[in-house]
Structure formats: structure tokens, C-alpha cells
Amino acid sequence: MVDDIPLKKAVDTVWSLYRAKHRDIDAADSRRCLMERHLQGRCEARVNEVDELTGFGLAYLDRLPDEC
């Protein structure tokens, strides 16, 4: 079972940082869902440290195309 607390903290942190850097991104942008699913997979693979998940989330979003 995945511990939701580190995942939720990481998703919220990543999304806040990403939106601060990309002010034109809407809060409901589909990239948040994509990133959350990506991090969910990391959690299932036993990566559950908030800092580590945050790094994976930021790296993932940086690799996505500008238009999703």
C-alpha cells in the first residue's frame, strides 16, 4: 500500500514550484495529473521520501512538452 502523505506533500510542493516558475499555467492544468500519476508509480516502487519525490516530479514536468 502506498503512503499517501509523502505523495500528497510532494505533489503539492512540485505543483507550487512549477506554477511559480510558469505563471501562465492554470491550477487545473492536465500536467498536474500526469505528474501525480508519475509520482504514484515512484511510490509504488518504494520511493516515498518527500524530497526525493519532489525532485522526480520537477524533473518529470521539465521533460513534458509545453502543450499537454
Side-chain angles (χ1 to χ4, degrees):
M1 181 166 169
V2 174
D3 185 0
D4 290 338
I5 294 171
L7 176 63
K8 181 176 177 4
K9 286 182 180 179
V11 168
D12 290 345
T13 300
V14 169
W15 196 239
S16 294
L17 291 170
Y18 188 74
R19 288 196 60 228
K21 185 177 176 185
H22 301 90
R23 298 218 179 255
D24 59 326
I25 302 293
D26 186 64
D29 192 271
S30 64
R31 285 171 269 213
R32 180 186 171 108
C33 182
L34 292 171
M35 180 264 302
E36 188 170 359
R37 281 190 268 161
H38 176 74
L39 292 183
Q40 177 75 35
R42 292 289 185 162
C43 280
E44 290 169 359
R46 304 279 188 243
V47 175
N48 58 7
E49 294 293 325
V50 174
D51 293 340
E52 195 170 4
L53 288 169
T54 299
F56 285 131
L58 289 170
Y60 177 78
L61 287 172
D62 284 341
R63 290 191 312 260
L64 287 179
D66 288 339
E67 298 288 325
C68 283

